[in-house]
Amino acid sequence: MATKIISGTEIAKQIREELKTEVAEMKEKHGVTPGLVTVLVGESPASVSYVTAKQRTAHDLGFHSVQDNQPEDITEDDLVALIEKYNQDPAIHGILVQLPLPRHIEESRIIFAIDPDKDVDGFHPVNVGKMVIGEQCFLPCTPAGIMEMIIRTGIETSGAEAVIVGRSNIVGKPMANLMLQKREGGNATVTLCHTRTKDMAFHTRRADILIVAAGRPKVVTADMVKEGVAVIDVGVNRIGKTPEGKAILCGDVDFEAVKEKASAITPVPGGVGPMTITMLMKNTVQAARQISGIA
Ligand code: GUN
């Protein structure tokens, strides 16, 4: 069976073209430019590279984009005050605080400080709650991007066994939730595995759709999947550097071996990553529309 390599890069490109047209129209017809601020605390290389990619995309789409770098030792109170400033700023429609934050800052306090109407990450409890009950809201970008990939690739989810590895608030929990909802890309029977799962392979071998966000390189091997599975690999692991100093990346799935059994699989890089960024842009356009009262 020929394996389909699901190119997040290609799907993201299509969506960005759609967004570019939408942004141009918003500017022309309504005088509204979507505004996104990305707040980066400290200088972790992974976070710097994610935030740079987000800003570059926002700029390419014609957004008003602000990169706000804060020192590693910023206090929690000062960070909350900064968010409150952006909550009040009419030129900013979306606020993203790159995670993880340094240990002395309680992430939940920062996330709760973001105005839910500007919470383009979909991490505020108001948006999380709305997502769980299927109300219109900002969906977290990685799960939203995965749903979009699954739908646009034509992977059948209704009645499928969907197995998710990883229970983070950013990926695993919302992913499980979206896949079991009565909606396009949903209606799956969902199993959520995590570090305390007794026999991971027992579950992954049953999967028609396997979504892996374990945060460890190549934890899913070929013996852990069945023939014909569709695999979405959320992992981005830095496993070394090229002689030029560029990071060498690999996913949480042993791509070369697993692709021999899979019907479809996402690569790393070029899979989920570009989709996550694109969904952030989509959420920001949605925020700008809602805040500006554009239907
Ligand atoms: N760190 C890893 N993924 C994400 C994300 O989707 N949003 C934010 N804010 N931080 C992250």
Side-chain angles (χ1 to χ4, degrees):
M1 183 198 322
T3 306
K4 179 169 180 53
I5 308 297
I6 306 169
S7 170
T9 307
E10 280 305 311
I11 300 171
K13 211 164 125 189
Q14 278 172 25
I15 301 172
R16 284 178 202 177
E17 287 306 319
E18 295 162 14
L19 286 175
K20 220 170 182 167
T21 310
E22 194 175 343
V23 171
E25 195 181 290
M26 281 171 81
K27 282 187 190 180
E28 198 179 299
K29 277 201 189 151
H30 304 279
V32 172
T33 302
L36 173 69
V37 60
T38 47
V39 178
L40 173 65
V41 178
E43 292 171 357
S44 134
S47 291
V48 169
S49 100
Y50 293 141
V51 164
T52 306
K54 289 169 187 176
Q55 276 299 324
R56 195 184 313 122
T57 310
H59 185 262
D60 288 350
L61 292 182
F63 285 17
H64 165 59
S65 58
V66 178
Q67 172 55 42
D68 190 327
N69 293 325
Q70 293 295 326
E72 179 87 21
D73 62 356
I74 187 174
T75 66
E76 201 175 279
D77 285 348
D78 283 352
L79 192 53
V80 168
L82 185 73
I83 288 165
E84 278 164 2
K85 183 188 85 163
Y86 288 121
N87 283 342
Q88 301 304 324
D89 186 341
I92 295 296
H93 306 103
I95 301 171
L96 177 136
V97 179
Q98 186 64 30
L99 303 178
L101 288 167
R103 273 184 206 205
H104 68 279
I105 296 175
E106 203 183 317
E107 267 176 18
S108 60
R109 186 167 168 226
I110 304 306
I111 291 168
F112 291 15
I114 298 171
D115 179 344
D117 291 338
K118 295 191 177 186
D119 170 38
V120 287
D121 250 333
F123 294 166
H124 190 285
V126 165
N127 284 312
V128 176
K130 284 183 174 176
M131 176 197 67
V132 170
I133 58 173
E135 288 280 316
Q136 209 263 335
C137 63
F138 294 116
L139 295 179
C141 302
T142 299
I146 294 171
M147 292 295 280
E148 202 66 46
M149 281 176 121
I150 288 175
I151 293 166
R152 290 190 187 223
T153 308
I155 295 166
E156 180 58 82
T157 57
S158 185
E161 293 287 339
V163 177
I164 297 160
V165 181
R167 58 176 154 183
S168 70
N169 289 339
I170 294 182
V171 185
K173 280 186 213 161
M175 196 70 241
N177 209 276
L178 290 173
M179 294 219 69
L180 59 78
Q181 290 186 1
K182 277 189 190 172
R183 53 161 282 176
E184 193 184 14
N187 291 309
T189 302
V190 176
T191 303
L192 185 51
C193 300
H194 48 76
T195 44
R196 299 292 173 94
T197 296
K198 278 203 179 119
D199 185 353
M200 182 84 79
F202 167 79
H203 297 285
T204 57
R205 277 188 206 117
R206 289 191 300 105
D208 300 313
I209 302 168
L210 179 61
I211 300 174
V212 190
R216 276 167 293 130
K218 300 188 185 181
V219 287
V220 171
T221 48
D223 58 310
M224 292 171 69
V225 303
K226 74 174 178 190
E227 289 284 341
V229 63
V231 181
I232 310 284
D233 187 351
V234 186
V236 182
N237 303 288
R238 279 146 214 272
I239 52 168
K241 277 190 177 172
T242 64
E244 299 80 41
K246 256 187 95 178
I248 300 171
L249 304 179
C250 86
D252 292 352
V253 174
D254 182 353
F255 179 83
E256 288 306 327
V258 171
K259 92 170 184 326
E260 298 303 320
K261 290 174 90 175
S263 57
I265 186 167
T266 62
V268 178
V272 174
M275 291 300 293
T276 295
I277 297 175
T278 301
M279 299 319 279
L280 174 69
M281 303 303 137
K282 201 168 176 189
N283 280 351
T284 306
V285 169
Q286 184 190 327
R289 280 188 176 280
Q290 285 168 192
I291 290 170
S292 312
I294 305 170

